[in-house]
């Protein structure tokens, strides 16, 4: 969960004390310094103030994550294809290193007696 994009919502902005706190620059800076991103918004669930804007931002984040996932999947496919080609090339190289010839009487004679 920690690796997923997050949006922090400061709710109850319709309450005067909460609005005053949100408008306090020192409070917002303290809040922002405690997190690793800047996706913070103030909303009121009661009056829906700020909700539409947050939903639009979240939709953009979701699309961005989808695009990043598509790119990562494509890179993984390309990496897998390249690895398969590399292994195939190595196998072909190994096959070229060996020669197949007919077993001869000389080969038979070179074996130890207990193996013949």
């Amino acid at each position: 969960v920690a690796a997923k994009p997050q949006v922090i919502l400061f709710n109850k902005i319709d309450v005067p004390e909460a609005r005053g706190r949100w408008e306090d620059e020192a409070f917002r800076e303290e809040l922002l310094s405690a997190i690793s991103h800047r996706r913070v918004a103030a909303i009121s669930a009661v009056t829906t103030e700020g909700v539409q804007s947050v939903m639009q931002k979240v939709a953009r984040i979701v699309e961005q994550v989808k695009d990043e996932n598509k790119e990562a999947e494509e890179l993984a496919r390309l990496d897998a294809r390249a690895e398969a080609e590399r292994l195939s090339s190595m196998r072909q190289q190994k096959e070229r290193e060996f020669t197949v010839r007919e077993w001869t009487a000389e080969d038979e004679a070179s074996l130890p007696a207990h193996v013949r």
Side-chain angles (χ1 to χ4, degrees), residues 3 11 18 22 30-31 34 47 56 80 89 107 109 114:
N11 194 17
W22 178 251
E30 184 179 341
L31 175 64
T47 67
Q56 291 170 349
S89 175
D107 294 322
H114 70 281

Side-chain angles (χ1 to χ4, degrees), residues 18 20 22 36 39 58 63 67-68 73 77 87 99 104 109-110 112:
W22 178 251
S36 62
R39 292 181 300 275
V58 168
E63 288 304 312
D67 291 345
E68 289 170 359
E73 288 171 4
R77 276 194 293 279
L87 291 173
T99 57
T104 65
S110 70

Side-chain angles (χ1 to χ4, degrees), residues 17 25 27 31 46-48 57 59 65 72 84 94 98-100 111-112 114-115:
E17 294 83 7
E25 190 68 30
F27 169 77
L31 175 64
V46 172
T47 67
T48 70
K57 289 176 186 175
V65 169
K94 292 287 182 190
F98 294 94
T99 57
V100 178
L111 292 174
H114 70 281
V115 177

Side-chain angles (χ1 to χ4, degrees), residues 6-107:
Q6 298 176 357
V7 177
I8 295 177
L9 301 178
F10 187 78
N11 194 17
K12 301 191 183 297
I13 199 73
D14 56 296
V15 175
E17 294 83 7
R19 182 174 297 278
R21 189 104 193 253
W22 178 251
E23 290 173 352
D24 179 359
E25 190 68 30
F27 169 77
R28 284 207 320 263
E29 284 304 315
E30 184 179 341
L31 175 64
L32 291 171
S33 70
I35 59 175
S36 62
H37 60 82
R38 310 219 32 104
R39 292 181 300 275
V40 179
I43 66 163
S44 168
V46 172
T47 67
T48 70
E49 179 183 347
V51 172
Q52 185 68 29
S53 174
V54 167
M55 296 302 289
Q56 291 170 349
K57 289 176 186 175
V58 168
R60 284 194 299 271
I61 291 169
V62 167
E63 288 304 312
Q64 180 183 0
V65 169
K66 282 182 182 179
D67 291 345
E68 289 170 359
N69 286 344
K70 285 179 186 175
E71 289 174 13
E73 288 171 4
E74 182 60 25
L75 286 173
R77 276 194 293 279
L78 291 173
D79 286 347
R81 187 175 306 129
E83 182 65 8
E85 288 172 2
R86 186 184 71 78
L87 291 173
S88 176
S89 175
M90 285 175 57
R91 185 180 64 245
Q92 290 171 357
Q93 180 64 33
K94 292 287 182 190
E95 289 172 355
R96 284 192 293 268
E97 291 175 4
F98 294 94
T99 57
V100 178
R101 62 180 180 76
E102 197 170 316
W103 187 260
T104 65
E106 212 175 78
D107 294 322

